[in-house]
């Protein structure tokens, strides 16, 4: 098992670039199945989830090559409609392949997806939408079997603005005969990036970034090239690490508007933040101020992924803060690990009361999901003494060599294979 060993107490200083977005690249990789040709994807990060997606594409018959951060997918000879259970269980986002496989093969077979255990993430919205669009869906013995003769374009009213369901409907509908409309669609930047990619290969999608997305089906798509947007949660993580260490850090290759909720909150915590066109500079206060209440919400609200990381900042603030988690009920699991480091966090259901302490103290802790792992790293960087973070494989799902990037900012952090 790999561990990150952190000797804390060193303020981060310097510049770091933000890699491509995990949540944007995964549906775009699935979409490469649609054009039956060449897809060149730039700014594609080296992440565990990305590598699993590339394995899925190869299993389905695609040819995949990588040159640095550029991935080329040729889907001309794709012929499979089944994703093996061992791949599905390794990545929750693998469900987004269903819409693309259905659009290409008219059938799809896969097991229930896996991923981080952060609470219930039902896929019923995906399956209900598929049925509305004319797909025959059968669920039995932990497997989902989908088959269709022809997509029947419809107006779909999502009960919740689900990112995954919005993406799956877009993927399935872009080669239909007619217009599909998604009401109460997710508005995340990753939805806009998927729209931009689909349109780059000849699709006709409009409205991404609003609550109504329209997909006018086309008969044929073509080769295309696209650059993935920067990862807004990785950017938020670096800002949090600057806060826990009292440092000054500049983020490059970032879209400030995508992290506006995090920026506003950290300013409330006392940070001085300066925005460039594609950069953000943060100068952290000596001690963070508390925030009255943070409520997670779909974009453009405060993101649930960043909430986990913010918890480490508030743990060493000057007063009491309250966080209400409205998306996933399992987002506070790492609070108990932070309490082992000396934090004073009380969790009841979806509510966390964070009473700031003067400092945290290094000790062995274990990540329980992707973002909790990043939060523990942020806490360890500011803690007194040595922190060891286990279950690093979670962190590798969403961060490309996080320890290497933090070292460029002066952090004393290294990866070891055993303790």
């Amino acid at each position: 098992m790999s561990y990150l060993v952190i000797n804390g107490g060193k303020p981060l200083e310097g510049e770091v670039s933000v890699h491509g977005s995990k949540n944007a690249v995964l549906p775009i990789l699935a979409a490469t199945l649609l054009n039956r040709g060449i897809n060149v994807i730039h700014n594609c990060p080296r992440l565990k989830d990305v590598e699993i997606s590339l394995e899925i594409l190869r299993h389905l018959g695609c040819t995949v090559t990588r040159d640095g951060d550029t991935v080329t997918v040729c889907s001309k000879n794709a012929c499979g409609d089944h994703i093996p259970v061992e791949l599905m269980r390794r990545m929750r986002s693998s469900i987004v392949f269903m819409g693309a496989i259905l659009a290409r093969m008219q059938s799809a077979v896969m097991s229930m997806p896996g991923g981080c255990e952060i609470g219930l993430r039902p896929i019923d919205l995906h399956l209900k939408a598929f049925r509305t669009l004319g797909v025959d869906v059968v669920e039995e013995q932990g497997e989902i079997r989908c088959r269709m003769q022809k997509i029947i374009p419809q107006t779909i009213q999502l009960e919740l603005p689900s990112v995954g369901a919005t993406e799956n409907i877009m993927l399935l509908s872009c080669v239909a005969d007619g217009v599909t409309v998604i009401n109460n669609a997710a508005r995340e930047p990753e939805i806009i990036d998927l729209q931009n990619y689909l349109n780059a290969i000849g699709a006709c999608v409009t409205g991404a970034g609003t609550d109504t997305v329209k997909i006018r089906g086309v008969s044929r798509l073509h080769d295309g090239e696209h650059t993935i947007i920067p990862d807004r949660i990785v950017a938020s993580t670096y800002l949090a690490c600057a806060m826990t260490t009292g440092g000054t850090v500049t983020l490059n290759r970032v879209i400030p508007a995508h992290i506006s909720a995090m920026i506003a909150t950290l300013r409330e915590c006392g940070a001085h933040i300066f925005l460039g066109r594609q950069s953000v500079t943060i100068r952290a206060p000596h001690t963070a101020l508390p925030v009255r209440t943070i409520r997670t919400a779909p974009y453009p609200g405060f993101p649930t992924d960043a909430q986990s990381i913010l918890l480490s900042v508030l743990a060493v603030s000057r007063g009491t803060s309250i966080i209400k988690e409205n998306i996933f009920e399992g987002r506070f699991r790492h609070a108990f690990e932070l309490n082992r480091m000396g934090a004073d966090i009380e969790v009841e259901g979806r509510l966390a009361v964070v009473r700031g302490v003067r400092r945290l103290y290094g000790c062995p802790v274990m990540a329980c999901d992707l973002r909790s792992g990043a939060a523990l790293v942020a806490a360890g960087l500011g803690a007194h003494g040595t922190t060891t973070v286990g279950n690093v494989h979670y962190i590798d799902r969403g961060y490309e060599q996080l320890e290497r990037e933090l070292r460029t900012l002066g952090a004393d952090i290294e990866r070891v294979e055993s303790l």
Side-chain angles (χ1 to χ4, degrees):
M1 178 184 292
S2 295
Y3 296 83
L4 292 178
V5 179
I6 307 166
N7 294 308
K10 300 179 183 296
L12 300 188
E13 305 285 343
E15 299 186 11
V16 64
S17 293
V18 178
H19 63 63
S21 168
K22 175 182 84 77
N23 291 335
V25 73
L26 299 182
I28 287 173
L29 287 175
T32 62
L33 288 166
L34 299 174
N35 71 346
R36 303 171 185 263
I38 303 296
N39 305 267
V40 181
I41 311 299
H42 302 292
N43 201 27
C44 183
R46 292 183 180 271
L47 308 173
K48 284 289 182 64
D49 279 11
V50 171
E51 297 310 311
I52 294 169
S53 293
L54 298 182
E55 285 185 51
I56 291 173
L57 289 171
R58 292 187 181 101
H59 173 81
L60 295 172
C62 298
T63 301
V64 180
T65 59
R66 179 188 277 275
D67 181 10
D69 69 354
T70 296
V71 167
T72 301
V73 179
C74 177
S75 59
K76 178 181 179 180
N77 297 319
C79 58
D81 70 349
H82 175 257
I83 300 179
V85 62
E86 59 269 19
L87 291 177
M88 288 294 298
R89 287 180 175 174
R90 287 165 58 190
M91 186 181 72
R92 177 77 190 184
S93 299
S94 52
I95 192 64
V96 81
F97 273 87
M98 181 172 284
I101 294 173
L102 265 172
R104 175 72 186 266
M105 306 296 175
Q106 286 72 58
S107 63
V109 181
M110 56 186 66
S111 63
M112 292 291 184
C116 289
E117 296 180 8
I118 56 174
L120 293 174
R121 292 187 282 180
I123 62 171
D124 59 299
L125 296 180
H126 304 238
L127 303 185
K128 183 178 180 180
F130 287 159
R131 290 184 173 108
T132 301
L133 293 171
V135 179
D136 179 33
V137 181
V138 176
E139 301 174 72
E140 59 182 8
Q141 298 180 338
E143 197 170 63
I144 307 167
R145 295 178 175 272
C146 298
R147 186 175 297 277
M148 67 179 191
Q149 295 295 325
K150 182 181 179 181
I151 302 169
I152 304 172
Q154 301 281 348
T155 294
I156 297 174
Q157 180 74 36
L158 289 178
E159 298 169 23
L160 299 170
S162 163
V163 173
T166 300
E167 292 167 343
N168 254 328
I169 297 166
M170 292 168 67
L171 293 171
L172 178 57
S173 302
C174 65
V175 291
D177 183 14
V179 178
T180 297
V181 178
I182 310 171
N183 289 327
N184 198 26
R187 299 165 60 188
E188 275 73 1
E190 295 78 15
I191 301 295
I192 299 175
D193 210 33
L194 177 60
Q195 171 182 282
N196 291 342
Y197 167 76
L198 290 172
N199 289 343
I201 60 173
C204 184
V205 184
T206 59
T210 75
D211 58 6
T212 300
V213 175
K214 294 183 180 180
I215 309 101
R216 185 178 298 276
V218 298
S219 60
R220 188 177 182 85
L221 300 172
H222 53 70
D223 295 353
E225 190 168 359
H226 181 74
T227 299
I228 301 298
I229 59 173
D231 195 306
R232 58 195 174 100
I233 306 303
V234 170
S236 296
T237 301
Y238 289 137
L239 294 179
C241 290
M243 287 292 291
T244 59
T245 64
T248 300
V249 172
T250 295
L251 309 184
N252 296 316
R253 290 201 308 182
V254 64
I255 301 175
H258 290 177
I259 54 173
S260 58
M262 186 67 163
I263 288 171
T265 299
L266 294 183
R267 280 175 168 160
E268 188 177 347
C269 289
H272 295 279
I273 299 178
F274 310 92
L275 307 182
R277 192 172 68 87
Q278 291 185 322
S279 68
V280 174
T281 298
I282 180 171
R283 187 168 71 237
H286 179 69
T287 303
L289 300 174
V291 294
R292 181 174 297 178
T293 305
I294 290 291
R295 297 177 177 86
T296 62
Y299 189 87
F302 196 91
T304 180
D305 284 352
Q307 176 271 106
S308 298
I309 303 155
L310 181 66
L311 197 62
S312 295
V313 175
L314 299 178
V316 287
S317 65
R318 201 180 295 170
T320 299
S321 304
I322 296 174
I323 298 179
K324 178 68 165 60
E325 173 55 54
N326 294 313
I327 309 298
F328 296 127
E329 70 274 15
R331 278 292 191 199
F332 292 130
R333 294 172 63 198
H334 65 299
F336 304 103
E337 298 295 288
L338 291 173
N339 284 346
R340 296 184 66 241
M341 300 176 69
D344 184 358
I345 304 170
E346 184 179 353
V347 175
E348 184 171 341
R350 293 176 177 262
L351 195 70
V353 178
V354 190
R355 301 178 182 89
V357 298
R358 184 176 180 183
R359 65 170 43 176
L360 299 179
Y361 296 88
C363 70
V365 292
M366 300 291 285
C368 46
D369 59 70
L370 167 57
R371 304 306 175 187
S372 77
L376 294 174
V377 169
L381 290 170
H384 178 75
T386 301
T387 301
T388 60
V389 181
N391 284 340
V392 178
H393 63 277
Y394 283 124
I395 298 174
D396 293 339
R397 289 188 49 233
Y399 297 85
E400 183 176 335
Q401 296 188 33
L402 179 60
E403 70 276 13
R404 179 194 65 188
E405 300 303 316
L406 291 172
R407 280 198 298 269
T408 69
L409 299 174
D412 185 348
I413 179 173
E414 65 174 336
R415 181 183 297 239
V416 299
E417 294 305 319
S418 61
L419 293 176

